[in-house]
Amino acid sequence: MPSALFTPLQLRSLAVPHRGWVSPMCQYSCHPETGEGVPNDWHLMHLGSFAVGGAGLIMSEAAAVNAEGRISPLDAGLYSDEQAAGWERIVRFVHQNGAVDCRIGAQLAHAGRKASTYWPFSGRSGSVAVSDGGWATVGPTTDAFDGYAAPAAMSEADISQVVADFAAAAYRAVAAGFDTVEIHGAHGYLLHQFQSPLINTRTDRWGGDEDGRNRLMLTVVDAVRKVIPESMPLLLRISASDWAEGGVDVQASVRLARAAAERGVDLVDVSSGGAVAHQKITVAPGYQAGFAEQIKRDAGVPTAAVGLLTSPAQVEDIVANGRADAVFMARAALRDPHWWLRAAYELGHDIPWVPQYQRAVPRHGF
């Protein structure tokens, strides 16, 4: 039987060669001396290795839409022409050197109240002080994430500006040659902060009921959809559950996904968590796949699953049984940047190898 994982997926005019994709993974490796938020050789190597390894679609790490939206001072951005030029070089490499006809997308993000933090391998935690290169953060209210500096509550002008910043970053992504764009609305970052009732206690039109709390995310969807080509697919990453009482649940996420699809989102990338520190996540292999399955079924929108998806048999089962249309992998890809070549072999499916690696094509065992 042919492998379901290695069948193509058509999203608008974009033909993705198969359904095994690379999840966005922040590298915290943009060095200020070579340009704020500018991707460099590390990012070329990191993302390029997955293309050589047979990935069907690679999603960039979260690229901030403005300087204050960076998670840390070492995060990438897409708010300057210099940053766009850095990304263009990486996009070109992926397109020219993929084992399959590899595609690459830009994830656009704003960290909101979780911005201006120390990177994971810095040896420190919490917010970076302004005196150490940090900055004042913003959010829906002045409530801080646990252990972080309190943000400023965003004004109407602030909100209008961040919507414009998402659109401008999407425009730069198109100019840099990306094949698709993903809006990051998950993991407790700005759009999710507005969505979650555990964070957003505003009483104006950007808060209140579910429609008000979803308004910023959907307004960003409208703004981005307007500036990217009609032929280009638009993806949206969401946290399907806050894993905390009174927070976003999967039923609310179904309603959000349905509304996003009506506004031109072509696939929902289904993750979870990140809104609050007191979340209680039940972690197990494939623990978020059920969210992707329910949103696909009840919202009638294509989905991608993510989260502790590691083995070829596991992800083949998810796609073959229609639980999700594609699978994003992160840690498994870091452990084995050629995961897709090995997976194809284990599933009895042939995919191309780059010419430089032809001598390693398995004949009697991987």
Side-chain angles (χ1 to χ4, degrees):
M1 294 291 293
S3 165
L5 178 65
F6 287 98
T7 57
L9 180 64
Q10 190 76 30
L11 296 172
R12 297 199 181 222
S13 69
L14 182 67
V16 185
H18 63 73
R19 296 154 190 257
W21 300 351
V22 179
S23 198
M25 291 178 278
C26 289
Q27 297 296 290
Y28 309 98
S29 296
C30 294
H31 303 295
E33 60 269 23
T34 57
E36 178 184 281
V38 177
N40 52 46
D41 286 349
W42 175 264
H43 302 86
L44 177 69
M45 179 281 301
H46 167 65
L47 298 176
S49 66
F50 302 134
V52 170
L57 171 68
I58 299 167
M59 195 61 63
S60 79
E61 65 184 83
V65 300
N66 58 37
E68 72 181 6
R70 291 171 295 157
I71 302 168
S72 84
L74 301 186
D75 274 58
L78 246 175
Y79 53 86
S80 76
D81 292 342
E82 185 181 11
Q83 293 163 354
W87 283 117
E88 184 177 12
R89 172 173 172 252
I90 293 167
V91 169
R92 186 166 57 248
F93 181 92
V94 167
H95 285 159
Q96 293 175 350
N97 294 284
V100 297
D101 190 12
C102 188
R103 307 300 189 173
I104 182 168
Q107 189 190 60
L108 309 181
H110 190 297
R113 70 178 190 165
K114 295 176 80 172
S116 188
T117 61
Y118 285 100
W119 49 103
F121 43 88
S122 67
R124 305 177 69 177
S125 61
S127 298
V128 180
V130 174
S131 59
D132 288 336
W135 54 90
T137 60
V138 297
T141 71
T142 58
D143 291 339
F145 186 75
D146 188 49
Y148 290 9
M154 295 178 72
S155 67
E156 281 279 350
D158 295 331
I159 292 171
S160 295
Q161 185 59 57
V162 87
V163 171
D165 290 342
F166 268 96
Y171 184 85
R172 284 193 171 93
V174 173
F178 282 102
D179 299 299
T180 185
V181 168
E182 177 174 85
I183 297 168
H184 196 348
H187 301 164
Y189 297 128
L190 184 67
L191 303 186
H192 185 199
Q193 289 163 25
F194 270 82
Q195 180 201 8
S196 175
L198 298 176
I199 303 170
N200 186 354
T201 56
R202 297 173 72 111
T203 57
D204 63 2
R205 68 193 187 102
W206 303 102
D209 62 10
E210 185 174 288
D211 287 345
R213 287 182 281 104
N214 287 346
R215 181 165 283 115
L216 180 57
M217 189 152 355
L218 296 176
T219 300
V220 168
V221 166
D222 287 342
V224 170
R225 183 75 265 175
K226 185 176 180 179
V227 300
I228 66 175
E230 178 66 24
S231 59
M232 176 180 282
L234 176 60
L235 281 59
L236 174 66
R237 172 165 274 200
I238 65 170
S239 280
S241 171
D242 282 342
W243 296 95
E245 186 176 354
V248 171
D249 59 21
V250 68
Q251 290 78 23
S253 294
V254 166
R255 293 188 290 271
L256 173 65
R258 187 182 295 121
E262 290 170 354
R263 292 167 180 257
V265 165
D266 300 287
L267 181 140
V268 178
D269 174 5
V270 184
S271 189
S272 70
V276 291
H278 64 271
Q279 64 186 10
K280 296 186 183 303
I281 301 179
T282 304
V283 177
Y287 71 104
Q288 296 175 145
F291 295 143
E293 181 177 12
Q294 185 169 346
I295 290 170
K296 173 181 167 68
R297 181 186 67 238
D298 295 350
V301 59
T303 62
V306 64
L308 287 184
L309 304 175
T310 57
S311 75
Q314 178 193 30
V315 298
E316 174 73 13
D317 178 75
I318 288 171
V319 177
N321 286 297
R323 301 182 65 199
D325 298 273
V327 172
F328 275 112
M329 285 168 289
R331 290 169 177 84
L334 293 181
R335 288 189 287 267
D336 180 5
H338 300 156
W339 187 93
W340 303 271
L341 299 179
R342 176 170 60 84
Y345 175 78
E346 290 185 13
L347 295 172
H349 187 91
D350 289 328
I351 64 171
W353 288 52
V354 295
Q356 297 91 330
Y357 287 5
Q358 282 291 322
R359 71 189 73 179
V361 175
R363 305 301 180 189
H364 305 290
F366 200 85

